[in-house]
Amino acid sequence: MSIKDKLKFEITSHSISLQPNRKIVTNFIWDMVGMVVLILVFLVFKEKIGEGGRFCYLAIIACIIAHLLITVLFRVPVRYIFDKDDNAIYRETKPFGRRQLMLLDEAIIFTRTESGDWYYCLGKKKKQFLKSYKVSPIFSSGKASQKRAEEYEVEILAPIMELLPHIHNLQTTPFSLINKNNS
């Protein structure tokens, strides 16, 4: 499956849209498996663990259910729309609808590092570190991840960068820097 399909990337004559959080569906599945295991353990040992243990188990299960609901309702369905006709970038979610984040002229795309992994973020110029939006999957330093990062840059990031009037190349992307350092 290509990265365009994974992120539901769509290009039309006047806009580009993508869902960068589609990858967390796999985490969602593991969270569901963990919740089922906890429920089964609770059902098997509920008489032996006592009232305090039951309360602890129920609190953990409630937290996992809340996390799963937040993921399904608010994180996975987020879609970013880069609209050339309106000169705007929108964030669209099912419960809240479409909301304008910034103008295309104000947008800047940069990388952010977290625990050794990195990803692309979208933010307003000069305010990008105060409020930013994740627009890519998380990449690491492995070879497979570098290949996915390169595919993301070519297939998805390049068309987005062409829409931004003040940025027209990808010379300083992390993958480019990694390749320059390795040569």
Side-chain angles (χ1 to χ4, degrees):
M1 181 182 262
S2 75
I3 195 151
K4 285 183 174 184
D5 295 334
K6 288 178 185 174
L7 301 181
K8 290 193 175 179
F9 183 72
E10 298 172 2
I11 297 179
T12 63
S13 61
H14 66 282
S15 70
I16 294 176
S17 66
L18 74 143
Q19 283 183 289
N21 295 329
R22 296 282 302 160
K23 183 79 171 130
I24 56 178
V25 172
T26 56
N27 295 346
F28 176 78
I29 292 168
W30 283 109
D31 289 344
M32 287 290 290
V33 168
M35 185 179 70
V36 168
V37 168
L38 275 176
I39 290 173
L40 290 175
V41 168
F42 174 73
L43 292 175
V44 170
F45 295 108
K46 77 177 179 183
E47 297 300 323
K48 295 178 183 175
I49 58 175
E51 190 174 329
R54 280 190 291 253
F55 179 76
C56 251
Y57 260 102
L58 291 175
I60 291 170
I61 290 169
C63 287
I64 291 174
I65 289 172
H67 172 72
L68 293 173
L69 285 174
I70 288 170
T71 300
V72 167
L73 295 176
F74 301 112
R75 292 181 66 201
V76 172
V78 171
R79 176 175 287 283
Y80 293 104
I81 302 164
F82 298 80
D83 195 331
K84 186 174 20 174
D85 291 344
D86 293 343
N87 189 36
I89 300 172
Y90 298 101
R91 179 180 181 179
E92 184 177 79
T93 56
K94 300 245 188 257
F96 299 115
R98 185 183 277 199
R99 182 177 69 119
Q100 182 176 339
L101 298 177
M102 64 194 82
L103 299 175
L104 286 173
D105 302 337
E106 300 173 324
I108 186 166
I109 295 179
F110 60 100
T111 59
R112 178 164 277 173
T113 304
E114 192 174 281
S115 303
D117 297 335
W118 61 274
Y119 52 90
Y120 286 101
C121 283
L122 169 72
K124 275 187 178 182
K125 282 184 199 171
K126 298 182 182 178
K127 295 181 182 180
Q128 70 265 26
F129 299 113
L130 297 176
K131 182 68 176 172
S132 62
Y133 307 92
K134 185 178 148 211
V135 292
S136 78
I138 295 174
F139 304 111
S140 63
S141 60
K143 289 183 181 183
S145 184
Q146 287 178 1
K147 184 179 177 187
R148 284 187 300 117
E150 183 180 79
E151 182 183 5
Y152 179 83
E153 290 173 358
V154 171
E155 300 288 329
I156 294 175
L157 194 58
I160 291 173
M161 296 295 243
E162 288 176 11
L163 279 181
L164 302 179
H166 56 282
I167 302 174
H168 293 291
N169 60 31
L170 294 172
Q171 294 176 354
T172 59
T173 60
F175 185 74
S176 308
L177 292 173
I178 290 168
N179 280 346
K180 287 179 185 175
N181 291 339
N182 290 340
S183 355

